[in-house]
Amino acid sequence: SINGDRLWDSLMEMAKIGKTAKDGVCRLALTDLDRESRDLFIKWCKAEGCSIRIDKMGNIFARREGKNPDLPPIVMGSHLDSQPTGGKYDGVYGVLSGLEVIRALNEAKYETEAPIEVVSWTNEEGSRFAPAMVASGVFAKVFDLDYGHSRADVDGKTMGEELKRIGYLGDDDPTIDAHPMGAYFEAHIEQGPILEDEGKDIGIVTDAQGQRWYEINLTGVEAHAGPTPMKTRKDALLGAARIIDLVNKIGLDRSPLACATVGMMQIHPNSRNVIPGHVFLTVDFRHPVDAVLVEMDAALRKGVAVITDDIGLTAEIDQIFSYAPVPFDKTCVDAVRSGVEIGGYSAREIVSGAGHDACYLAQVTPTAMIFIPCVDGISHNEIEEVHKHWSDAGGQVLLHAVLAKADE
Amino acid sequence: SINGDRLWDSLMEMAKIGKTAKDGVCRLALTDLDRESRDLFIKWCKAEGCSIRIDKMGNIFARREGKNPDLPPIVMGSHLDSQPTGGKYDGVYGVLSGLEVIRALNEAKYETEAPIEVVSWTNEEGSRFAPAMVASGVFAKVFDLDYGHSRADVDGKTMGEELKRIGYLGDDDPTIDAHPMGAYFEAHIEQGPILEDEGKDIGIVTDAQGQRWYEINLTGVEAHAGPTPMKTRKDALLGAARIIDLVNKIGLDRSPLACATVGMMQIHPNSRNVIPGHVFLTVDFRHPVDAVLVEMDAALRKGVAVITDDIGLTAEIDQIFSYAPVPFDKTCVDAVRSGVEIGGYSAREIVSGAGHDACYLAQVTPTAMIFIPCVDGISHNEIEEVHKHWSDAGGQVLLHAVLAKADE
Ligand SMILES: NC(=O)NCCC(=O)O
Ligand SMILES: NC(=O)NCCC(=O)O
C-alpha cells in the first residue's frame, strides 16, 4: 500500500515553490523556481537510495534497482513545471505519486524484478517555451536535440541556455536509444469535468486526442485612432477579433468532442490611440479523430483568408506543432485496470483532452495513463483542486499497475 | 521669413533621439530619451537667448522678451514625446516651428510688443501614461496636480516619480493662473488624409472633435484548452473579440465623422493552452458632435452587456477620460487665415480628428491650430512623413499668426 498522507504532504511541500497569492503555483520551465523544485525532488529521491541521471534535455531519472538490473526499467513520471497561473497537481502529481510508489516499496522492503524509475520531464507545459512536451518529444525522437535546445521564450532565451543557467544541462543522450523502458505509466489529474460529474475516482485512459497548434501573424497598417476614417483602416486587431470568433465557431460546430482556443495574443504597438498594425495570435485545436483535425485546419485557413481579404490585412499561418490522436498500449491499460480492481475503485475509460509526456512516450514504449478527478474539472488555474481520497486512489492504482509490469 | 532649411535640419536632428529601425521615433514620455530631447530643446532655446521655466508637470517654457514685458506672452508649442512606433513630426513639428519663429525674429532683430514663448508639454501622447494631454490638462485646470503626478504606466511608475528621476520636476505652479497667455498657437501635422487628398498646404483648424476613452475589464474562468468542453467555457478573450467587433460597428455606423478604436489589450494568463480568464482592453471614441458621443457610449454599454451575458463573463466599464468637441478662438483662427493669405498658400478649414494640447488650452486662453499635411494621412506610425515645402509653409503661417497677435 502507498501512504496517502505522505504523498499529500509531499504535494503540499512542493507547492510552496512558486506559490501564488491565490494558492496556486507559478513555476515556469527552467526558471529559478523550476530549479528549486528539481533540487527538492532529487533530494527526496536520494533519501530513498535512488541513483540520479540527468540528460541533455534536463530530464531527471531516479532509479530504484530491481532483482534483475538487465531488465529495462518500468518508468513512472510527469513534470514539475507549471502554467503562469497553474495549480498544485498538474504534472507534480505524476512525479510525486511515482516517488511515493518507491517510498512504499522501500518501506515494505519489496524487491521488484525489473528496476523502477521516476522521471520528471522538462517543459511539459509549453507555456514559457512552445511547443508543449518538448523534452519527452526529444526523448521519443519526434524532435532532435537542436530543436529542443533552440526553443525560445518571448525574451529570446533558449531552452539550451536556460538549462545551462540553472545547472540542469546533463550529459546523457536524451533519447530512448540510450534508455529503453519496459513500460511507462503517468498518473495525472483529468483537467476536465467527466470523472467528477460521474462520481468516478479513477479514469483508465485509453487514448489521447490529437492536437494542432498554430501561430498567426496579421499585418495591417498602424495609424492614428483619431483622424483615420473607419473605411480606410487596416486594423490588425479587428482581424484578430474575427479570427477568435471563427476559432470558437470551428470548435462549437464540432462540439462536444472538438476544442478550439485562442490563448495567447500580442498586439503591436498596443497603444490606446493607435490602430494596431500587427497582431500575433495562437490557435490550439484538439479532437480525438485526426480526419476532423484536418477539416478544422481547412476551415481555419479558409476563414482567415475571408476575414483578412475583407479588412485588407496580410496573414501568415504556421502550424508549429501537431500530433495525431494517440492510442495507449493495451497491456499497460490492462495493468491500470487490474490496479483499479485490486483497489476496488469506481472507474471509467476516458480519452485524454490534454497532451501529456505519455503521448510521446507511447510512440516508443508501451505506455498508459491513470487519471484522477479535479474539482469542477478546473486546471491551468490557480484554484485547481483535488480531494485527498482521489490522490490516495491514484497512487494505489499506480503502485499496482507498475508491479504488474515490473514483476511480469 | 522663417528659414525652412534650418527648421528641417532641427527636425532631423531631434529625430535621432529615439530613432527606430524603420526610421521612426520611439520616445515615450519621461524616459531617458525624452530627457535627451528636452535637454537638446533647452540648449537650442538658450542659444537664442531665451529664458527657461519648468513647472511642476515638467512643461518647459522658453521666453523671448517683448518691448512690453507686462503683456501676457503669445505662446507657440506642442510636445516632444512620441508613440512607441511614432514618427518624426507628430508634436515635434509644433515645438520646433515655434523655435524657428524665434530664430527668425532674432535674425531679423525684430522686436515684438508682447513677449513670445515656445512650450513643450509633457506626455501629450497618452501612450505611456493615460490619458493624453495630461500636463496641458493640468495647465488648463481640467485635472489637478495630484491627478497629473499619480498617472502610472503599466509597470506602476508614476509621472511624478518619473519627472523627478529625469530631472524635469520643476518648481513653478503648472497652471494658467501663474502664467496667463495672450494667445496660444499650435502647428501640427494633420494625421489624416484630407489636406493631401485635396492638394492643400495648410489646414485652418476651426474645431477639434470630442473624445471619450474607456477601460474595460472582462473576467471569465481560466481553464485548460484541451479537456474543457466548448459549452462550459467562460472565455474572456472571446468576449473581448466580440467587443472589438462591436466597437468597430459603432464607429462604422456613424461614419465618416465617427471614429472608434480598440488599440490596447492585455490577456491573462496569455498562455497558448489556457482559456483566458481575464482581458483588459481600451476603447477610444471620437466625434465632432457631443450628442453622438453620448449615443456611442450607450451603444457600447448595451452591446457589452449582451456579449458578456451570452458568454457568462463579468464586465467593468470605466470612462477614464472625455472631452467635448472644442471650438477654437475666432480671432486666433483669423490670425492663422491672415498668415495663409500673406504667404499665398492653398488652404481649407478643417476639424482636428486628434486631440492636441491646444484643445485644453482653448478652455483657458484664445487658441488656434495650424495643420500641415502628412503623406497618406499616416501618423502614429514609424513611416509618418512630411514634404519639406509643407513644413516651410506651416512655419511661415505660424510666424505671421504670432506676429498678428504679438503686435496687436
Ligand atoms: N497536461 C497538460 O496540461 N499538458 C499541457 C499540454 C496541453 O496543452 O495539452
Ligand atoms: N495628436 C496626437 O496624436 N494626440 C494624441 C491624443 C489623441 O489620441 O488624439
Side-chain angles (χ1 to χ4, degrees):
Chain A
S1 261
I2 62 128
N3 180 335
D5 293 346
R6 184 168 55 197
L7 169 53
W8 191 258
D9 289 347
S10 293
L11 286 165
M12 295 308 122
E13 192 64 28
M14 189 61 89
K16 291 179 185 164
I17 303 174
K19 186 178 189 320
T20 63
K22 289 184 196 155
D23 207 23
V25 171
C26 175
R27 201 164 56 223
L28 296 178
L30 307 187
T31 55
D32 290 345
L33 291 169
D34 184 359
R35 172 179 35 206
E36 266 189 66
S37 70
R38 288 163 178 262
D39 291 349
L40 179 60
F41 170 59
I42 289 176
K43 190 181 101 180
W44 282 341
C45 292
K46 285 189 172 163
E48 296 303 316
C50 294
S51 59
I52 304 293
R53 240 183 99 247
I54 299 169
D55 70 21
K56 288 192 167 109
M57 285 301 297
N59 301 316
I60 305 168
F61 297 83
R63 181 180 179 101
R64 180 181 190 265
E65 224 25 283
K67 282 186 215 162
N68 186 345
D70 294 336
L71 282 176
I74 306 303
V75 184
M76 309 164 286
S78 191
H79 58 96
L80 293 173
D81 68 315
S82 85
Q83 290 286 331
T85 53
K88 298 190 275 289
Y89 310 95
D90 176 357
V92 189
Y93 180 72
V95 176
L96 297 186
S97 59
L99 173 63
E100 175 51 32
V101 165
I102 288 181
R103 284 171 168 167
L105 293 175
N106 281 351
E107 212 165 47
K109 300 199 170 62
Y110 185 94
E111 259 197 297
T112 52
E113 279 300 318
I116 294 198
E117 295 190 0
V118 196
V119 57
S120 171
W121 304 103
T122 296
N123 187 45
E124 191 272 349
E125 292 291 357
S127 179
R128 181 171 176 202
F129 304 97
M133 293 120 52
V134 68
S136 51
V138 171
F139 189 82
K141 305 208 284 184
V142 175
F143 308 125
D144 64 22
L145 182 60
D146 280 351
Y147 177 87
H149 278 179
S150 63
R151 297 307 85 210
D153 67 10
V154 286
D155 298 326
K157 290 186 188 147
T158 65
M159 285 190 64
E161 285 159 24
E162 287 292 278
L163 275 169
K164 200 160 170 189
R165 190 186 65 79
I166 69 162
Y168 274 92
L169 181 64
D171 291 323
D172 277 27
D173 175 339
T175 74
I176 182 89
D177 294 344
H179 202 69
M181 296 178 177
Y184 176 74
F185 290 97
E186 184 164 344
H188 207 284
I189 57 170
E190 177 196 343
Q191 310 186 279
I194 300 173
L195 295 176
E196 191 189 32
D197 281 358
E198 300 188 5
K200 308 287 191 202
D201 292 331
I202 297 289
I204 301 164
V205 189
T206 56
D207 302 84
Q209 334 195 75
Q211 294 191 29
R212 297 198 176 204
W213 284 19
Y214 302 83
E215 292 183 347
I216 302 182
N217 277 287
L218 297 175
T219 307
V221 177
E222 273 161 54
H224 196 302
T228 310
M230 296 305 291
K231 292 207 170 132
T232 67
R233 296 176 175 212
K234 295 182 177 177
D235 182 342
L237 185 56
L238 180 63
R242 290 185 182 161
I243 292 171
I244 293 166
D245 221 353
L246 168 74
V247 165
N248 186 64
K249 191 169 150 37
I250 289 174
L252 264 183
D253 285 352
R254 292 157 184 87
S255 202
L257 290 183
C259 282
T261 310
V262 176
M264 185 180 184
M265 220 164 135
Q266 283 164 339
I267 295 116
H268 185 82
N270 217 27
S271 184
R272 292 163 196 257
N273 43 2
V274 185
I275 300 161
H278 181 83
V279 174
F280 165 89
L281 70 158
T282 64
V283 176
D284 174 319
F285 279 161
R286 314 215 176 185
H287 200 278
V289 179
D290 203 41
V292 181
L293 286 168
V294 171
E295 197 189 295
M296 290 166 80
D297 178 279
L300 178 70
R301 290 176 195 276
K302 198 175 142 193
V304 168
V306 171
I307 289 165
T308 52
D309 272 9
D310 185 43
I311 306 177
L313 307 174
T314 59
E316 272 174 49
I317 308 182
D318 287 322
Q319 184 185 296
I320 60 149
F321 166 59
S322 81
Y323 63 76
V326 178
F328 288 119
D329 178 75
K330 214 190 139 332
T331 68
C332 289
V333 174
D334 284 345
V336 172
R337 193 175 288 113
S338 76
V340 167
E341 278 157 20
I342 292 166
Y345 299 113
S346 62
R348 62 161 277 167
E349 292 191 350
I350 192 166
V351 173
S352 174
H356 296 285
D357 296 303
C359 299
Y360 281 139
L361 270 293
Q363 301 192 13
V364 288
T365 203
T367 296
M369 291 191 76
I370 300 160
F371 273 178
I372 61 169
C374 55
V375 175
D376 294 332
I378 295 282
S379 127
H380 286 194
N381 188 317
E382 291 161 273
I383 64 168
E384 179 184 279
E385 201 39 87
V386 157
H387 294 316
K388 182 170 169 295
H389 68 275
W390 294 335
S391 167
D392 297 352
Q396 200 62 31
V397 172
L398 179 63
L399 171 69
H400 287 293
V402 165
L403 288 181
K405 278 287 173 183
D407 290 342
E408 210 165 43
Chain B
S1 261
I2 63 129
N3 180 335
D5 293 346
R6 183 169 53 197
L7 169 53
W8 191 257
D9 289 346
S10 294
L11 286 166
M12 294 307 121
E13 191 64 28
M14 190 58 92
K16 292 180 184 165
I17 303 174
K19 185 178 189 319
T20 63
K22 291 185 194 154
D23 207 23
V25 171
C26 175
R27 200 165 57 223
L28 297 178
L30 308 187
T31 56
D32 290 346
L33 291 168
D34 184 0
R35 171 179 35 204
E36 265 188 66
S37 70
R38 289 163 176 261
D39 291 350
L40 179 61
F41 169 61
I42 289 175
K43 191 183 99 181
W44 283 339
C45 292
K46 286 187 171 165
E48 295 305 314
C50 294
S51 59
I52 304 293
R53 241 183 97 247
I54 300 170
D55 70 22
K56 290 194 167 107
M57 284 303 296
N59 301 315
I60 306 168
F61 297 82
R63 181 178 178 102
R64 180 181 191 265
E65 225 24 283
K67 281 186 217 164
N68 186 347
D70 295 334
L71 283 178
I74 306 303
V75 184
M76 308 164 284
S78 192
H79 59 96
L80 293 173
D81 67 317
S82 85
Q83 290 286 330
T85 53
K88 299 189 273 292
Y89 310 93
D90 176 358
V92 188
Y93 179 73
V95 177
L96 297 186
S97 59
L99 173 63
E100 176 51 36
V101 166
I102 289 181
R103 285 171 168 166
L105 293 175
N106 282 350
E107 212 165 47
K109 299 197 171 66
Y110 184 95
E111 258 197 301
T112 52
E113 280 299 317
I116 294 200
E117 296 190 357
V118 196
V119 56
S120 171
W121 303 103
T122 296
N123 186 46
E124 191 272 349
E125 291 291 357
S127 181
R128 179 170 177 205
F129 304 97
M133 294 120 52
V134 67
S136 51
V138 171
F139 189 84
K141 305 209 284 184
V142 175
F143 309 124
D144 64 22
L145 183 60
D146 281 350
Y147 177 87
H149 278 179
S150 64
R151 296 309 86 210
D153 68 9
V154 285
D155 299 326
K157 288 184 189 148
T158 64
M159 286 190 62
E161 286 159 24
E162 287 292 277
L163 275 168
K164 199 162 173 188
R165 190 186 66 78
I166 70 163
Y168 274 92
L169 180 64
D171 291 324
D172 275 27
D173 176 338
T175 73
I176 182 89
D177 293 345
H179 201 69
M181 296 179 177
Y184 176 73
F185 290 98
E186 183 164 346
H188 207 283
I189 56 172
E190 177 196 345
Q191 310 185 279
I194 299 172
L195 295 176
E196 190 187 33
D197 282 357
E198 300 188 6
K200 308 286 191 201
D201 292 332
I202 297 288
I204 301 164
V205 189
T206 55
D207 301 85
Q209 339 194 72
Q211 294 192 29
R212 297 197 176 204
W213 285 19
Y214 302 85
E215 293 183 346
I216 302 182
N217 277 287
L218 297 175
T219 306
V221 177
E222 273 161 57
H224 195 303
T228 310
M230 298 303 291
K231 294 207 170 131
T232 66
R233 295 176 174 212
K234 294 182 176 172
D235 183 341
L237 184 56
L238 180 64
R242 292 186 180 160
I243 291 171
I244 292 165
D245 221 353
L246 168 74
V247 165
N248 185 64
K249 192 171 151 33
I250 290 173
L252 264 182
D253 285 352
R254 292 158 184 86
S255 202
L257 290 182
C259 281
T261 309
V262 176
M264 186 181 184
M265 219 165 134
Q266 284 165 337
I267 295 116
H268 184 82
N270 216 27
S271 182
R272 293 162 195 255
N273 45 2
V274 184
I275 301 161
H278 182 82
V279 174
F280 166 90
L281 71 158
T282 64
V283 176
D284 174 318
F285 280 160
R286 314 214 176 186
H287 199 279
V289 179
D290 204 42
V292 181
L293 286 168
V294 171
E295 198 190 295
M296 291 167 78
D297 178 279
L300 178 69
R301 290 175 196 277
K302 196 173 143 198
V304 168
V306 171
I307 290 165
T308 52
D309 271 10
D310 185 42
I311 306 177
L313 307 173
T314 59
E316 272 174 51
I317 308 181
D318 287 324
Q319 184 185 296
I320 61 150
F321 166 59
S322 81
Y323 64 75
V326 178
F328 288 120
D329 178 74
K330 212 188 140 334
T331 69
C332 289
V333 173
D334 284 344
V336 172
R337 193 175 288 112
S338 76
V340 166
E341 279 158 19
I342 292 167
Y345 300 112
S346 63
R348 61 162 277 171
E349 294 193 348
I350 192 166
V351 173
S352 174
H356 296 283
D357 295 305
C359 299
Y360 281 138
L361 270 293
Q363 301 191 14
V364 289
T365 204
T367 296
M369 291 191 77
I370 300 159
F371 273 178
I372 60 170
C374 55
V375 175
D376 295 331
I378 294 281
S379 127
H380 285 194
N381 187 318
E382 291 160 273
I383 64 171
E384 178 184 283
E385 200 41 85
V386 157
H387 294 314
K388 180 169 172 295
H389 68 274
W390 294 336
S391 167
D392 296 354
Q396 200 60 33
V397 173
L398 179 64
L399 171 69
H400 287 291
V402 165
L403 287 181
K405 278 287 173 182
D407 291 340
E408 209 164 44

